[in-house]
Coordinates of all heavy atoms in Angstrom, one line a residue:
M1 N -12.7 -11.4 -5.3 CA -12.3 -10.1 -5.6 C -10.8 -10.1 -6.0 O -10.0 -10.6 -5.2 CB -12.6 -9.1 -4.5 CG -12.4 -7.6 -4.9 SD -12.9 -6.5 -3.5 CE -14.7 -6.5 -3.7
S2 N -10.5 -9.5 -7.0 CA -9.0 -9.4 -7.5 C -8.3 -8.2 -6.7 O -8.9 -7.4 -6.2 CB -8.9 -9.2 -9.0 OG -9.2 -7.8 -9.3
V3 N -7.0 -8.3 -6.7 CA -6.2 -7.3 -6.0 C -6.5 -6.0 -6.6 O -6.3 -5.0 -5.8 CB -4.7 -7.7 -6.1 CG1 -3.8 -6.6 -5.6 CG2 -4.4 -9.0 -5.3
Q4 N -6.8 -5.9 -7.8 CA -6.9 -4.6 -8.5 C -8.2 -3.9 -8.3 O -8.4 -2.8 -8.7 CB -6.5 -4.7 -9.9 CG -5.0 -5.0 -10.1 CD -4.2 -3.9 -9.4 OE1 -4.3 -2.7 -9.8 NE2 -3.4 -4.2 -8.5
Q5 N -9.2 -4.6 -7.7 CA -10.5 -4.0 -7.5 C -10.4 -2.9 -6.4 O -9.7 -3.1 -5.4 CB -11.6 -5.0 -7.1 CG -12.0 -5.8 -8.4 CD -13.0 -6.8 -8.0 OE1 -12.9 -7.5 -7.0 NE2 -14.0 -6.8 -8.9
E6 N -11.1 -1.8 -6.5 CA -11.0 -0.8 -5.6 C -11.7 -1.2 -4.3 O -12.4 -2.2 -4.2 CB -11.6 0.5 -6.1 CG -10.7 1.0 -7.3 CD -11.2 2.2 -7.9 OE1 -12.3 2.5 -7.7 OE2 -10.4 2.8 -8.7
A7 N -11.7 -0.2 -3.3 CA -12.2 -0.6 -1.9 C -13.7 -0.8 -2.0 O -14.3 -1.3 -1.0 CB -11.9 0.5 -1.0
G8 N -14.5 -0.5 -3.1 CA -15.8 -0.8 -3.2 C -16.6 0.4 -3.5 O -16.4 1.5 -3.1
A9 N -17.8 0.2 -4.2 CA -18.7 1.2 -4.6 C -19.3 2.0 -3.4 O -19.6 3.1 -3.4 CB -19.7 0.8 -5.5
D10 N -19.6 1.2 -2.3 CA -20.2 1.7 -1.1 C -19.2 2.4 -0.1 O -19.6 3.0 0.8 CB -20.9 0.6 -0.4 CG -20.0 -0.5 0.1 OD1 -19.0 -0.7 -0.6 OD2 -20.3 -1.2 1.1
R11 N -17.9 2.4 -0.5 CA -16.9 3.0 0.3 C -16.0 3.9 -0.6 O -16.0 3.6 -1.8 CB -16.1 1.9 0.9 CG -16.5 1.5 2.3 CD -15.3 0.5 2.8 NE -15.8 0.4 4.1 CZ -15.1 0.1 5.1 NH1 -13.9 -0.3 4.9 NH2 -15.6 -0.2 6.3
E12 N -15.3 4.7 0.0 CA -14.3 5.6 -0.7 C -13.2 4.6 -1.3 O -12.7 3.7 -0.6 CB -13.6 6.5 0.2 CG -14.4 7.8 0.5 CD -14.3 8.8 -0.6 OE1 -13.6 8.6 -1.6 OE2 -15.0 9.8 -0.5
A13 N -12.9 4.7 -2.6 CA -11.8 3.9 -3.1 C -10.5 4.4 -2.6 O -10.2 5.6 -2.4 CB -11.7 4.1 -4.6
L14 N -9.6 3.5 -2.2 CA -8.4 3.8 -1.6 C -7.3 3.3 -2.4 O -7.4 2.2 -3.1 CB -8.3 3.2 -0.1 CG -9.3 3.6 0.9 CD1 -9.1 2.9 2.2 CD2 -9.2 5.2 1.1
E15 N -6.1 3.8 -2.4 CA -4.9 3.4 -3.0 C -3.7 3.4 -2.1 O -3.8 4.1 -1.0 CB -4.6 4.2 -4.3 CG -4.3 5.6 -4.0 CD -4.2 6.4 -5.3 OE1 -4.3 5.9 -6.3 OE2 -3.8 7.7 -5.2
V16 N -2.7 2.6 -2.4 CA -1.6 2.5 -1.4 C -0.3 2.7 -2.2 O -0.2 2.3 -3.4 CB -1.5 1.2 -0.6 CG1 -1.5 0.0 -1.6 CG2 -0.5 1.2 0.5
W17 N 0.7 3.3 -1.6 CA 2.0 3.4 -2.2 C 3.1 3.4 -1.1 O 2.7 3.6 0.1 CB 2.2 4.7 -3.1 CG 2.1 6.0 -2.2 CD1 1.0 6.7 -1.8 CD2 3.2 6.9 -1.9 NE1 1.3 7.8 -1.2 CE2 2.7 8.0 -1.2 CE3 4.6 6.7 -2.1 CZ2 3.5 8.9 -0.7 CZ3 5.5 7.8 -1.6 CH2 4.9 8.8 -0.9
I18 N 4.3 3.1 -1.5 CA 5.5 2.9 -0.6 C 6.5 4.0 -1.0 O 6.9 4.0 -2.1 CB 6.0 1.5 -0.6 CG1 5.0 0.5 -0.1 CG2 7.3 1.4 0.2 CD1 5.4 -0.9 -0.2
D19 N 7.0 4.6 0.0 CA 8.2 5.5 -0.1 C 9.4 4.7 0.1 O 9.9 4.4 1.2 CB 8.1 6.7 0.9 CG 9.2 7.7 0.6 OD1 10.2 7.3 -0.1 OD2 9.1 8.8 1.2
Q20 N 10.0 4.3 -1.0 CA 11.2 3.3 -1.0 C 12.5 4.1 -0.2 O 13.3 3.4 0.3 CB 11.7 2.8 -2.3 CG 10.8 1.7 -2.8 CD 9.5 2.0 -3.3 OE1 9.3 3.1 -3.9 NE2 8.5 1.1 -3.2
D21 N 12.4 5.4 -0.2 CA 13.5 6.1 0.4 C 13.5 5.9 1.9 O 14.5 6.0 2.6 CB 13.4 7.7 0.1 CG 13.8 8.0 -1.3 OD1 14.4 7.2 -2.0 OD2 13.3 9.1 -1.7
L22 N 12.3 5.5 2.5 CA 12.2 5.3 4.0 C 12.0 3.7 4.3 O 12.1 3.4 5.4 CB 10.9 6.0 4.4 CG 10.9 7.6 4.3 CD1 9.6 8.1 4.8 CD2 12.1 8.1 5.1
C23 N 11.9 3.0 3.2 CA 11.8 1.5 3.5 C 12.9 0.9 4.1 O 14.1 1.1 3.7 CB 11.5 0.7 2.2 SG 11.2 -1.0 2.3
T24 N 12.7 0.1 5.1 CA 13.8 -0.6 5.9 C 14.1 -1.9 5.5 O 14.9 -2.7 5.9 CB 13.5 -0.5 7.5 OG1 12.3 -1.2 7.7 CG2 13.5 0.9 8.0
G25 N 13.1 -2.5 4.5 CA 13.2 -3.8 4.1 C 12.9 -4.9 5.0 O 13.2 -6.1 4.8
D26 N 12.1 -4.5 6.1 CA 11.7 -5.6 7.1 C 10.8 -6.6 6.5 O 10.7 -7.8 7.0 CB 11.2 -4.9 8.4 CG 12.2 -4.2 9.2 OD1 12.6 -3.1 8.9 OD2 12.6 -4.9 10.1
G27 N 10.0 -6.3 5.5 CA 9.0 -7.2 4.9 C 7.8 -7.5 5.6 O 7.0 -8.3 5.4
I28 N 7.5 -6.7 6.7 CA 6.2 -6.8 7.4 C 5.0 -6.7 6.6 O 4.0 -7.4 6.7 CB 6.2 -5.8 8.6 CG1 7.2 -6.2 9.7 CG2 4.8 -5.7 9.2 CD1 7.4 -5.2 10.8
C29 N 5.1 -5.7 5.6 CA 4.0 -5.5 4.7 C 3.7 -6.8 3.8 O 2.5 -7.1 3.7 CB 4.2 -4.2 3.8 SG 5.8 -4.3 2.9
A30 N 4.8 -7.3 3.4 CA 4.6 -8.5 2.5 C 4.0 -9.7 3.4 O 3.4 -10.6 2.8 CB 5.9 -8.9 1.9
Q31 N 4.3 -9.7 4.6 CA 3.8 -10.7 5.5 C 2.4 -10.6 5.7 O 1.5 -11.4 5.7 CB 4.5 -10.8 6.9 CG 6.0 -11.3 6.7 CD 6.7 -11.2 8.0 OE1 6.2 -10.9 9.1 NE2 8.0 -11.4 7.9
Y32 N 1.9 -9.3 6.0 CA 0.5 -9.0 6.2 C -0.3 -9.1 5.0 O -1.4 -9.6 5.0 CB 0.3 -7.6 6.8 CG 0.5 -7.3 8.2 CD1 1.7 -6.7 8.8 CD2 -0.5 -7.8 9.1 CE1 1.8 -6.6 10.1 CE2 -0.4 -7.7 10.4 CZ 0.8 -7.0 11.0 OH 0.9 -6.9 12.3
A33 N 0.2 -8.6 3.9 CA -0.6 -8.5 2.6 C 0.2 -8.8 1.4 O 0.6 -7.9 0.5 CB -1.3 -7.1 2.4
P34 N 0.6 -10.1 1.2 CA 1.5 -10.5 0.1 C 0.7 -10.3 -1.3 O 1.4 -10.2 -2.3 CB 1.7 -11.9 0.3 CG 0.7 -12.5 1.2 CD 0.2 -11.3 2.0
E35 N -0.5 -10.2 -1.3 CA -1.3 -9.9 -2.6 C -1.0 -8.4 -3.1 O -1.2 -8.1 -4.2 CB -2.7 -10.0 -2.4 CG -3.2 -11.4 -1.9 CD -3.2 -11.5 -0.3 OE1 -2.6 -10.6 0.4 OE2 -3.7 -12.6 0.2
V36 N -0.6 -7.6 -2.1 CA -0.4 -6.2 -2.4 C 1.1 -5.7 -2.4 O 1.5 -4.9 -3.1 CB -1.2 -5.2 -1.4 CG1 -1.0 -3.7 -1.7 CG2 -2.7 -5.7 -1.4
F37 N 1.9 -6.3 -1.5 CA 3.2 -5.9 -1.3 C 4.2 -7.0 -1.6 O 3.9 -8.2 -1.4 CB 3.4 -5.4 0.1 CG 2.5 -4.4 0.6 CD1 1.6 -4.6 1.6 CD2 2.7 -3.1 0.3 CE1 0.7 -3.7 2.1 CE2 1.8 -2.0 0.7 CZ 0.9 -2.4 1.6
E38 N 5.4 -6.7 -2.0 CA 6.4 -7.7 -2.2 C 7.8 -7.0 -2.1 O 8.0 -5.9 -2.5 CB 6.3 -8.3 -3.6 CG 7.2 -9.5 -3.9 CD 7.0 -10.2 -5.1 OE1 5.7 -10.4 -5.4 OE2 7.9 -10.5 -5.8
L39 N 8.8 -7.8 -1.6 CA 10.2 -7.3 -1.5 C 10.8 -7.7 -2.9 O 10.7 -8.7 -3.3 CB 10.9 -7.9 -0.3 CG 10.4 -7.6 1.1 CD1 11.3 -8.3 2.1 CD2 10.7 -6.0 1.3
D40 N 11.6 -6.7 -3.3 CA 12.3 -7.0 -4.6 C 13.8 -7.4 -4.2 O 14.2 -7.4 -3.1 CB 12.3 -5.7 -5.4 CG 12.8 -5.9 -6.8 OD1 12.8 -7.0 -7.3 OD2 13.0 -4.9 -7.5
I41 N 14.5 -7.7 -5.2 CA 15.9 -8.1 -5.1 C 16.8 -7.1 -4.4 O 17.8 -7.3 -3.7 CB 16.5 -8.6 -6.5 CG1 17.8 -9.4 -6.2 CG2 16.7 -7.3 -7.4 CD1 18.2 -10.1 -7.5
D42 N 16.4 -5.8 -4.6 CA 17.1 -4.7 -3.9 C 16.8 -4.6 -2.3 O 17.4 -3.8 -1.7 CB 16.8 -3.3 -4.5 CG 15.4 -2.9 -4.4 OD1 14.6 -3.6 -3.8 OD2 15.0 -1.9 -5.0
G43 N 15.9 -5.5 -1.9 CA 15.6 -5.6 -0.5 C 14.5 -4.5 0.0 O 14.2 -4.4 1.2
L44 N 13.9 -3.8 -0.9 CA 12.9 -2.8 -0.6 C 11.6 -3.3 -1.0 O 11.5 -4.2 -1.9 CB 13.2 -1.5 -1.3 CG 14.5 -0.9 -1.0 CD1 14.7 0.4 -1.8 CD2 14.7 -0.6 0.5
A45 N 10.5 -2.8 -0.4 CA 9.1 -3.3 -0.6 C 8.6 -2.4 -1.7 O 8.8 -1.2 -1.8 CB 8.3 -3.2 0.6
Y46 N 7.7 -3.0 -2.5 CA 6.9 -2.3 -3.6 C 5.5 -2.8 -3.6 O 5.2 -4.0 -3.1 CB 7.6 -2.5 -5.0 CG 9.0 -2.1 -5.1 CD1 10.1 -2.8 -4.6 CD2 9.2 -0.8 -5.7 CE1 11.3 -2.2 -4.8 CE2 10.5 -0.3 -5.8 CZ 11.5 -0.9 -5.4 OH 12.8 -0.5 -5.5
V47 N 4.6 -2.0 -4.2 CA 3.3 -2.4 -4.4 C 3.2 -3.2 -5.6 O 4.1 -3.0 -6.5 CB 2.2 -1.2 -4.4 CG1 2.2 -0.6 -3.0 CG2 2.5 -0.3 -5.5
K48 N 2.2 -4.1 -5.8 CA 2.1 -4.9 -7.0 C 0.8 -4.5 -7.9 O -0.1 -4.0 -7.3 CB 1.9 -6.4 -6.6 CG 3.1 -6.9 -5.8 CD 3.2 -8.3 -5.5 CE 2.0 -9.2 -5.3 NZ 2.4 -10.6 -4.9
G49 N 1.0 -4.7 -9.1 CA 0.0 -4.3 -10.0 C -1.0 -5.4 -10.4 O -0.8 -6.5 -9.8
A50 N -1.9 -5.2 -11.3 CA -2.9 -6.2 -11.7 C -2.3 -7.5 -12.1 O -2.8 -8.5 -11.9 CB -3.8 -5.5 -12.8
D51 N -1.1 -7.4 -12.9 CA -0.5 -8.7 -13.3 C 0.5 -9.2 -12.4 O 1.3 -10.1 -12.7 CB 0.2 -8.3 -14.7 CG 1.2 -7.3 -14.5 OD1 1.4 -6.7 -13.5 OD2 1.9 -7.0 -15.5
D52 N 0.4 -8.8 -11.1 CA 1.2 -9.2 -10.0 C 2.8 -8.7 -10.1 O 3.7 -9.2 -9.4 CB 1.2 -10.9 -9.9 CG 1.2 -11.3 -8.5 OD1 0.6 -10.6 -7.6 OD2 1.7 -12.4 -8.2
A53 N 2.9 -7.8 -11.0 CA 4.3 -7.4 -11.3 C 4.5 -6.2 -10.3 O 3.6 -5.4 -9.9 CB 4.5 -6.8 -12.8
L54 N 5.8 -6.0 -9.8 CA 6.2 -5.0 -8.9 C 6.0 -3.6 -9.7 O 6.5 -3.5 -10.8 CB 7.6 -5.2 -8.4 CG 7.8 -6.4 -7.5 CD1 9.2 -6.4 -7.0 CD2 6.8 -6.6 -6.5
L55 N 5.5 -2.6 -9.0 CA 5.4 -1.3 -9.6 C 6.5 -0.4 -9.0 O 6.5 0.0 -7.9 CB 4.0 -0.6 -9.2 CG 2.8 -1.5 -9.7 CD1 1.5 -0.7 -9.3 CD2 2.8 -1.7 -11.2
Q56 N 7.6 -0.3 -9.8 CA 8.8 0.3 -9.3 C 9.1 1.7 -9.6 O 10.0 2.3 -9.1 CB 10.0 -0.6 -9.8 CG 10.0 -2.0 -9.3 CD 11.1 -2.8 -9.7 OE1 11.3 -3.0 -11.0 NE2 11.9 -3.4 -8.9
D57 N 8.1 2.3 -10.3 CA 8.2 3.8 -10.5 C 8.0 4.5 -9.1 O 7.1 4.1 -8.3 CB 7.2 4.3 -11.4 CG 7.4 3.7 -12.9 OD1 8.6 3.4 -13.2 OD2 6.5 3.8 -13.6
K58 N 8.7 5.6 -8.9 CA 8.6 6.3 -7.7 C 7.1 6.8 -7.5 O 6.6 7.4 -8.4 CB 9.6 7.5 -7.7 CG 9.7 8.3 -6.4 CD 10.8 9.2 -6.4 CE 11.0 9.9 -5.0 NZ 11.5 9.1 -4.0
G59 N 6.6 6.5 -6.3 CA 5.2 7.1 -6.1 C 4.1 6.1 -6.7 O 2.9 6.5 -6.7
A60 N 4.5 5.0 -7.3 CA 3.5 4.1 -8.0 C 2.5 3.6 -6.9 O 2.8 3.3 -5.8 CB 4.2 2.9 -8.6
T61 N 1.2 3.7 -7.3 CA 0.1 3.3 -6.5 C -0.6 2.0 -7.0 O -0.6 1.8 -8.2 CB -0.9 4.4 -6.3 OG1 -1.6 4.7 -7.5 CG2 -0.3 5.7 -5.8
T62 N -1.3 1.4 -6.1 CA -2.2 0.3 -6.5 C -3.4 0.4 -5.7 O -3.4 0.9 -4.5 CB -1.5 -1.0 -6.4 OG1 -2.2 -2.1 -7.1 CG2 -1.4 -1.5 -4.9
P63 N -4.6 0.0 -6.2 CA -5.8 0.0 -5.4 C -5.8 -0.8 -4.2 O -5.2 -1.9 -4.3 CB -6.9 -0.4 -6.4 CG -6.4 -0.2 -7.7 CD -4.9 -0.3 -7.6
V64 N -6.5 -0.5 -3.1 CA -6.6 -1.4 -2.0 C -7.9 -2.1 -2.1 O -9.0 -1.5 -2.1 CB -6.6 -0.5 -0.7 CG1 -6.8 -1.4 0.5 CG2 -5.3 0.3 -0.6
P65 N -7.8 -3.5 -2.2 CA -9.0 -4.2 -2.3 C -9.7 -4.3 -0.9 O -9.0 -4.4 0.1 CB -8.5 -5.6 -2.7 CG -7.1 -5.7 -2.6 CD -6.6 -4.2 -2.4
L66 N -11.0 -4.2 -0.9 CA -11.7 -4.1 0.5 C -11.4 -5.3 1.3 O -11.2 -5.2 2.5 CB -13.2 -4.0 0.2 CG -14.1 -3.7 1.3 CD1 -13.6 -2.6 2.2 CD2 -15.6 -3.6 1.0
P67 N -11.4 -6.5 0.8 CA -11.0 -7.7 1.7 C -9.7 -7.6 2.4 O -9.5 -8.2 3.4 CB -11.1 -8.9 0.8 CG -12.0 -8.4 -0.4 CD -11.7 -7.0 -0.5
L68 N -8.8 -6.8 1.7 CA -7.4 -6.7 2.3 C -7.2 -5.4 3.0 O -6.0 -5.1 3.5 CB -6.4 -6.9 1.2 CG -6.5 -8.2 0.5 CD1 -5.5 -8.2 -0.7 CD2 -6.1 -9.3 1.3
L69 N -8.3 -4.6 3.2 CA -8.1 -3.3 3.8 C -7.4 -3.3 5.2 O -6.5 -2.6 5.4 CB -9.4 -2.5 3.9 CG -9.3 -1.1 4.6 CD1 -8.4 -0.2 3.7 CD2 -10.8 -0.5 4.6
T70 N -7.8 -4.2 6.0 CA -7.3 -4.3 7.3 C -5.9 -4.8 7.3 O -5.1 -4.2 8.0 CB -8.1 -5.5 8.2 OG1 -9.5 -5.0 8.2 CG2 -7.5 -5.7 9.6
D71 N -5.4 -5.7 6.5 CA -4.1 -6.1 6.3 C -3.2 -5.0 5.8 O -2.1 -4.8 6.3 CB -4.0 -7.3 5.3 CG -4.7 -8.5 5.8 OD1 -4.8 -8.7 7.1 OD2 -5.1 -9.5 5.1
V72 N -3.7 -4.1 4.9 CA -2.9 -3.1 4.4 C -2.8 -2.0 5.5 O -1.6 -1.5 5.6 CB -3.6 -2.5 3.1 CG1 -3.0 -1.2 2.7 CG2 -3.5 -3.5 1.9
V73 N -3.8 -1.7 6.2 CA -3.8 -0.8 7.2 C -2.8 -1.2 8.4 O -2.0 -0.4 8.9 CB -5.1 -0.4 7.8 CG1 -5.1 0.5 9.1 CG2 -6.0 0.3 6.8
D74 N -2.8 -2.5 8.7 CA -2.0 -3.0 9.7 C -0.6 -3.0 9.2 O 0.4 -2.6 10.0 CB -2.4 -4.6 10.0 CG -3.6 -4.7 10.9 OD1 -4.0 -3.6 11.4 OD2 -4.1 -5.8 11.0
S75 N -0.3 -3.2 7.9 CA 1.0 -3.0 7.4 C 1.6 -1.6 7.6 O 2.6 -1.4 8.0 CB 1.0 -3.3 5.9 OG 0.7 -4.6 5.6
A76 N 0.7 -0.6 7.3 CA 1.1 0.9 7.4 C 1.4 1.1 9.0 O 2.3 1.8 9.2 CB -0.1 1.7 7.0
K77 N 0.6 0.6 9.8 CA 0.8 0.9 11.3 C 2.1 0.2 11.8 O 2.6 0.8 12.7 CB -0.5 0.4 12.1 CG -1.7 1.2 11.8 CD -2.9 0.6 12.6 CE -4.2 1.5 12.4 NZ -5.3 0.9 13.2
E78 N 2.3 -1.0 11.4 CA 3.4 -1.7 11.9 C 4.7 -1.5 11.2 O 5.8 -1.9 11.7 CB 3.1 -3.2 11.9 CG 1.9 -3.7 12.6 CD 2.0 -3.4 14.1 OE1 3.2 -3.5 14.6 OE2 1.0 -3.0 14.7
C79 N 4.7 -0.8 10.1 CA 6.0 -0.6 9.4 C 7.0 0.3 10.1 O 6.7 1.3 10.5 CB 5.6 0.2 8.0 SG 7.0 0.6 7.0
P80 N 8.1 -0.4 10.4 CA 9.2 0.4 11.1 C 9.7 1.6 10.4 O 10.2 2.5 10.9 CB 10.3 -0.6 11.4 CG 10.1 -1.8 10.4 CD 8.6 -1.7 10.0
G81 N 9.6 1.6 9.0 CA 10.1 2.8 8.3 C 9.1 3.8 8.0 O 9.4 4.9 7.5
D82 N 7.8 3.7 8.5 CA 6.7 4.6 8.3 C 6.7 5.0 6.8 O 6.7 6.2 6.5 CB 7.0 5.9 9.2 CG 6.5 5.6 10.6 OD1 5.6 4.7 10.8 OD2 6.9 6.2 11.5
C83 N 6.7 4.0 5.9 CA 6.8 4.4 4.5 C 5.6 4.0 3.7 O 5.6 4.1 2.5 CB 8.1 3.8 3.9 SG 8.1 2.0 3.9
I84 N 4.6 3.4 4.4 CA 3.4 3.0 3.6 C 2.3 4.1 3.7 O 2.0 4.4 4.9 CB 2.9 1.6 4.2 CG1 4.1 0.6 4.0 CG2 1.7 1.2 3.4 CD1 3.8 -0.7 4.6
H85 N 1.8 4.5 2.6 CA 0.8 5.5 2.6 C -0.4 5.0 1.9 O -0.4 4.6 0.8 CB 1.3 6.7 1.8 CG 2.7 7.3 2.3 ND1 2.7 8.4 3.2 CD2 3.9 6.8 2.1 CE1 4.0 8.6 3.5 NE2 4.7 7.7 2.9
V86 N -1.6 5.1 2.7 CA -2.9 4.8 2.2 C -3.7 6.0 2.0 O -3.9 6.8 3.0 CB -3.6 3.7 3.1 CG1 -5.0 3.4 2.5 CG2 -2.7 2.5 3.3
R87 N -4.3 6.3 0.8 CA -5.0 7.5 0.6 C -6.2 7.3 -0.2 O -6.3 6.3 -1.0 CB -4.0 8.7 -0.1 CG -3.7 8.2 -1.4 CD -2.7 9.3 -2.0 NE -2.2 8.8 -3.3 CZ -1.1 9.3 -3.8 NH1 -0.3 10.1 -3.3 NH2 -0.8 8.8 -5.0
R88 N -7.2 8.3 -0.1 CA -8.4 8.2 -0.9 C -8.1 8.6 -2.3 O -7.2 9.5 -2.6 CB -9.4 9.2 -0.4 CG -10.1 8.8 1.0 CD -11.3 9.7 1.3 NE -10.9 11.1 1.4 CZ -10.7 11.7 2.6 NH1 -11.0 11.1 3.7 NH2 -10.4 13.0 2.6
V89 N -8.6 7.9 -3.2 CA -8.3 8.1 -4.7 C -9.0 9.5 -5.0 O -8.4 10.2 -5.8 CB -8.9 7.0 -5.5 CG1 -8.8 7.4 -7.0 CG2 -8.2 5.7 -5.2
S90 N -10.1 9.8 -4.5 CA -10.9 10.9 -4.9 C -10.2 12.3 -4.7 O -10.1 13.2 -5.6 CB -12.3 10.9 -4.3 OG -12.1 11.1 -2.9
D91 N -9.5 12.4 -3.5 CA -8.9 13.7 -3.2 C -7.4 13.6 -2.8 O -6.8 14.5 -2.4 CB -9.7 14.5 -2.2 CG -9.8 13.7 -0.8 OD1 -9.1 12.6 -0.7 OD2 -10.5 14.2 0.1
R92 N -6.9 12.3 -2.8 CA -5.5 12.0 -2.5 C -5.1 12.4 -1.1 O -4.0 12.6 -0.7 CB -4.6 12.7 -3.5 CG -4.8 12.2 -4.9 CD -4.0 12.9 -6.0 NE -2.5 12.7 -5.9 CZ -1.8 11.8 -6.5 NH1 -2.4 11.0 -7.2 NH2 -0.5 11.9 -6.3
V93 N -6.1 12.4 -0.2 CA -5.9 12.7 1.2 C -5.4 11.3 1.9 O -6.1 10.3 1.7 CB -7.0 13.3 1.9 CG1 -6.9 13.3 3.4 CG2 -7.4 14.7 1.3
E94 N -4.3 11.4 2.6 CA -3.8 10.2 3.2 C -4.7 9.8 4.5 O -5.0 10.8 5.4 CB -2.4 10.4 3.7 CG -1.8 9.1 4.3 CD -0.3 9.1 4.3 OE1 0.4 9.7 3.3 OE2 0.3 8.6 5.2
V95 N -5.2 8.6 4.6 CA -6.1 8.2 5.7 C -5.4 7.4 6.6 O -5.8 7.1 7.8 CB -7.4 7.6 5.2 CG1 -8.2 8.7 4.4 CG2 -7.2 6.5 4.1
Y96 N -4.4 6.6 6.2 CA -3.5 5.7 7.1 C -2.1 5.9 6.6 O -1.8 6.1 5.4 CB -3.9 4.2 6.9 CG -5.3 4.0 7.2 CD1 -6.3 3.7 6.2 CD2 -5.8 3.9 8.6 CE1 -7.6 3.4 6.5 CE2 -7.1 3.7 8.8 CZ -8.0 3.4 7.8 OH -9.3 3.1 8.1
G97 N -1.2 5.9 7.6 CA 0.2 6.1 7.3 C 0.8 7.3 8.0 O 0.1 8.0 8.8
P98 N 2.1 7.6 7.7 CA 2.7 8.8 8.5 C 2.2 10.1 8.3 O 2.3 10.9 9.1 CB 4.2 8.5 8.0 CG 4.2 7.9 6.7 CD 2.9 7.0 6.8
D99 N 1.6 10.4 7.2 CA 1.0 11.7 6.9 C -0.4 11.8 7.2 O -1.1 12.8 6.8 CB 1.3 12.1 5.5 CG 2.8 12.2 5.2 OD1 3.6 12.5 6.1 OD2 3.2 12.0 4.0
A100 N -1.1 10.7 7.7 CA -2.6 10.8 8.0 C -2.7 11.6 9.2 O -1.9 11.7 10.1 CB -3.0 9.4 8.3
E101 N -3.9 12.4 9.2 CA -4.2 13.3 10.4 C -5.1 12.6 11.3 O -5.7 11.7 11.1 CB -4.9 14.5 9.8 CG -4.0 15.4 8.9 CD -4.6 16.6 8.4 OE1 -5.8 16.9 8.9 OE2 -4.1 17.4 7.6

């Protein structure tokens, strides 16, 4: 399954984005899920697109592949900057991260 495939037809599709204003540059996300996250030369983390390129636009999202869901969720939980947001694609409700209920 490629990084760009969504969480799966039998599950809600999820997407992830990083708030660079809160990113501390620790790189924990890139350690947990290097297929999804990467640190740039500016020392901040970004999500990666289908072509493995960093998506540097503010609020840029990428689909969460089902095989990496646990790694992405662990990244959000362990992030010292509380800057990783995982939300449902259908209604944009955050399910993991600092704004999750």
Side-chain angles (χ1 to χ4, degrees):
M1 185 178 278
S2 77
V3 169
Q4 289 304 299
Q5 286 181 316
E6 295 178 345
D10 59 332
R11 268 190 175 202
E12 283 277 355
L14 300 176
E15 62 187 4
V16 60
W17 66 281
I18 296 176
D19 182 345
Q20 280 77 29
D21 291 339
L22 299 175
C23 180
T24 59
D26 285 83
I28 291 170
C29 56
Q31 291 174 13
Y32 274 108
E35 304 88 347
V36 178
F37 307 108
E38 186 173 318
L39 292 177
D40 196 14
I41 195 165
D42 63 5
L44 302 178
Y46 295 87
V47 295
K48 299 189 331 185
D51 57 359
D52 223 28
L54 297 186
L55 303 178
Q56 295 178 304
D57 292 337
K58 189 168 183 73
T61 65
T62 197
V64 176
L66 186 56
L68 298 176
L69 179 60
T70 299
D71 294 334
V72 170
V73 169
D74 286 347
S75 296
K77 289 179 179 177
E78 298 298 323
C79 176
D82 282 334
C83 66
I84 300 173
H85 303 265
V86 180
R87 65 187 178 202
R88 287 191 301 258
V89 172
S90 61
D91 59 6
R92 300 173 62 95
V93 169
E94 187 159 322
V95 292
Y96 302 104
D99 297 332
E101 293 183 5

